Amino acid sequence: MDSIQTGSGKVKQIPEAVIKRLPVYHRYLTELAKRDVERISSPELAAKIGITASQLRQDLSCFGSFGHQGYGYRIHELLGEISRILGLENEIPMVLVGVGHLGRAILSYPNFKDKKFGFIAIFDNNPLIIGEIIEEIPVLAITELESYLIKNNVEVGVITTPISAAQEVANLLIQGGVRGIWNFAPLALKVPDSVVVEHVHISESLLELSFKLQQKRLKS
Amino acid sequence: MDSIQTGSGKVKQIPEAVIKRLPVYHRYLTELAKRDVERISSPELAAKIGITASQLRQDLSCFGSFGHQGYGYRIHELLGEISRILGLENEIPMVLVGVGHLGRAILSYPNFKDKKFGFIAIFDNNPLIIGEIIEEIPVLAITELESYLIKNNVEVGVITTPISAAQEVANLLIQGGVRGIWNFAPLALKVPDSVVVEHVHISESLLELSFKLQQKRLKS
DNA sequence: TAGATTGTTAATCGATTAACAATC
DNA sequence: TAGATTGTTAATCGATTAACAATC
């Protein structure tokens, strides 16, 4: 499923495990770039992240050669490559549907302000909220969603509605032509294969925490 | 690191990949139990989840034998076992620190109301918020955090503060004796090995979505 | 140049899948 | 009982690690 275009125009499968690490690389490199660090070697970066240098170099080699022998990686350069690989070069036009606490939290998430994710509109069905401006973005009526999506070539829709509305909103987003859905409602959305869905299961990580605490309890 | 006690009192390592799937099993079984489904076979359940029946049975076999030959699994029974494995049998006393939008979203997250996670207090440093009651839980002053933790044997602390306060709050939680931290602030907390941290990197899944959209773009 | 570090090949390790005897 | 389905062993597959020639 997941692949990257190589020089020859061929397409290569990227292991899911590698895909999961790319955002982590992006995060650490962004951090280093912010601190104006110029270069880093694979063992240094790997140690920070908590993986092996081999794994880091192996992962990067899926996409090309971004290092310099005897020197390491120029952080600015590598961050640029990872950003390109992640598709962050061009702004992704996004809308958010559902202005609850979670929706507001995402709209004000500090990481998004500098990244290339552009919320261009917000939708809700509550007349008291419609017309409000949140983080400089206007809240529009849900009835305008579909036409807005088509008119503005929106690529990604974020669902932060209650469960009860989520599938309906997903349908509207798909009819409006979005290519991806970032879903925070805790249910499995039904979507066509052509649409990419990323589901954030907030509670899963709490169950993992619970499991790990339980393990510690048993061991001692 | 992760393990489960076997009958003999010995401890067995559980692969991280299995740990990540346990909450998924829990979620699907809860859903089935809610619909009063009584039994399910491994191929049926696996198909719902999108894995192989082999993998499901292999995973469960890390912990014991919960099925019935020729019959399948009793949903109520298996859910009970998974809950026990995840450490959900006894309520986990939790506090949340940081009443922003994200904090409020988590406190009102529908999944937590029926699960065994008990928020018993909320903390903030904003005098306008202290004293408020959110979802029947009082907001206390952050200055009371440490003594409250010790007095009430709190096991888990949830951090939903801004980045700038997160490490300081983590330190207070640790001094107060929590065993686990569920962290939503986008930074790497420094904690002793004895404390389990689960970090929710909301933006990582958006980068994954971006990558997958990019891949589709390249393929077509 | 000598030292350092990459990118990559080969070896190892672990996780997933297939198959089937056990048995309800 | 016969059919169904488990739990588990063995085979396969893929991912991680180790090692090193290439080279800056």
Side-chain angles (χ1 to χ4, degrees):
Chain A
M1 269 296 137
D2 299 298
S3 54
I4 195 88
Q5 199 143 29
T6 61
S8 64
K10 288 228 184 102
V11 159
K12 191 172 136 201
Q13 294 307 104
I14 304 299
E16 188 68 26
V18 175
I19 298 174
K20 288 240 175 288
R21 281 189 294 267
L22 288 174
V24 181
Y25 299 154
H26 186 272
R27 174 156 51 89
Y28 279 89
L29 290 166
T30 302
E31 176 60 31
L32 288 164
K34 219 180 275 167
R35 293 202 275 118
D36 285 318
V37 182
E38 235 181 51
R39 63 165 289 276
I40 197 163
S41 67
S42 60
E44 281 177 286
L45 180 54
K48 272 184 187 296
I49 296 174
I51 60 173
T52 64
S54 266
Q55 183 163 64
L56 174 58
R57 295 203 302 274
Q58 190 74 282
D59 283 1
L60 294 178
S61 75
C62 293
F63 303 101
S65 304
F66 311 126
H68 306 276
Q69 268 147 333
Y71 178 85
Y73 300 85
R74 291 188 222 285
I75 282 159
H76 184 77
E77 183 188 6
L78 184 56
L79 178 55
E81 294 289 352
I82 301 271
S83 297
R84 183 185 53 77
I85 291 162
L86 285 169
L88 305 179
E89 275 194 315
N90 304 111
E91 187 139 327
I92 299 178
M94 297 170 75
V95 301
L96 181 141
V97 185
V99 183
H101 289 304
L102 187 58
R104 289 178 193 267
I106 288 164
L107 289 167
S108 60
Y109 201 66
N111 273 11
F112 293 158
K113 300 201 172 160
D114 37 334
K115 284 213 190 76
K116 289 285 181 185
F117 297 102
F119 285 107
I120 58 175
I122 305 168
F123 292 86
D124 204 288
N125 65 356
N126 183 344
L128 296 173
I129 294 174
I130 294 165
E132 198 181 318
I133 306 282
I134 301 174
E135 302 280 334
E136 305 177 3
I137 306 152
V139 180
L140 308 178
I142 188 78
T143 49
E144 300 177 45
L145 178 59
E146 203 179 325
S147 63
Y148 184 95
L149 294 173
I150 294 166
K151 207 178 297 172
N152 294 276
N153 252 299
V154 175
E155 280 206 65
V156 169
V158 183
I159 300 179
T160 49
T161 64
I163 300 186
S164 55
Q167 181 64 58
E168 208 182 327
V169 167
N171 296 345
L172 288 172
L173 289 168
I174 292 161
Q175 281 162 44
V178 303
R179 301 173 52 241
I181 292 177
W182 197 27
N183 176 41
F184 287 81
L187 87 168
L189 292 177
K190 286 176 193 100
V191 304
D193 283 348
S194 58
V195 175
V196 182
V197 176
E198 276 291 320
H199 191 138
V200 181
H201 289 289
I202 288 183
S203 64
E204 269 173 28
S205 88
L206 182 55
L207 295 193
E208 248 185 274
L209 178 58
S210 174
F211 178 80
K212 288 175 181 170
L213 291 174
Q214 170 81 349
Q215 295 291 91
K216 287 215 168 186
R217 224 175 274 132
L218 293 175
K219 256 193 270 188
S220 61
Chain B
M1 267 294 138
D2 299 298
S3 55
I4 195 89
Q5 199 142 31
T6 63
S8 66
K10 288 227 184 98
V11 160
K12 191 173 136 200
Q13 293 308 103
I14 305 298
E16 189 68 23
V18 175
I19 298 174
K20 288 243 175 285
R21 282 189 294 267
L22 289 174
V24 181
Y25 300 154
H26 187 271
R27 176 156 50 90
Y28 279 90
L29 289 167
T30 303
E31 175 62 30
L32 288 164
K34 221 180 272 168
R35 293 202 274 119
D36 284 319
V37 183
E38 236 180 49
R39 63 164 287 277
I40 198 163
S41 67
S42 60
E44 282 177 287
L45 180 54
K48 271 184 186 297
I49 296 174
I51 60 174
T52 64
S54 266
Q55 182 163 63
L56 174 58
R57 296 203 302 275
Q58 190 74 282
D59 282 1
L60 294 179
S61 75
C62 294
F63 304 101
S65 304
F66 311 127
H68 306 276
Q69 269 148 332
Y71 177 85
Y73 300 85
R74 290 188 223 285
I75 282 159
H76 184 78
E77 183 188 5
L78 184 56
L79 178 55
E81 294 290 351
I82 301 273
S83 297
R84 183 185 54 77
I85 291 162
L86 285 169
L88 304 179
E89 276 195 314
N90 305 111
E91 187 138 328
I92 299 177
M94 296 170 75
V95 300
L96 181 142
V97 185
V99 182
H101 289 306
L102 187 58
R104 289 177 194 267
I106 287 163
L107 290 166
S108 60
Y109 201 65
N111 273 12
F112 293 158
K113 300 200 171 161
D114 38 333
K115 283 212 191 79
K116 289 286 183 185
F117 296 103
F119 285 108
I120 58 174
I122 305 167
F123 294 85
D124 204 287
N125 64 356
N126 182 343
L128 296 173
I129 294 173
I130 294 164
E132 198 181 320
I133 307 282
I134 300 173
E135 302 280 333
E136 305 177 2
I137 307 152
V139 180
L140 308 176
I142 189 77
T143 49
E144 300 177 44
L145 178 59
E146 203 178 325
S147 64
Y148 183 96
L149 294 172
I150 293 166
K151 209 178 297 173
N152 294 276
N153 252 296
V154 175
E155 280 207 65
V156 169
V158 183
I159 300 179
T160 49
T161 64
I163 301 186
S164 55
Q167 182 64 58
E168 207 182 329
V169 167
N171 297 345
L172 288 173
L173 289 169
I174 293 161
Q175 280 162 43
V178 304
R179 302 172 52 240
I181 292 177
W182 197 26
N183 176 41
F184 287 80
L187 87 169
L189 293 176
K190 287 177 192 99
V191 305
D193 283 349
S194 59
V195 174
V196 182
V197 176
E198 276 291 321
H199 192 140
V200 181
H201 289 289
I202 289 184
S203 63
E204 270 173 29
S205 87
L206 182 56
L207 295 193
E208 250 184 272
L209 178 57
S210 175
F211 177 81
K212 287 175 181 169
L213 292 174
Q214 170 81 348
Q215 295 290 90
K216 287 215 169 187
R217 224 175 275 134
L218 293 176
K219 255 192 271 190
S220 62

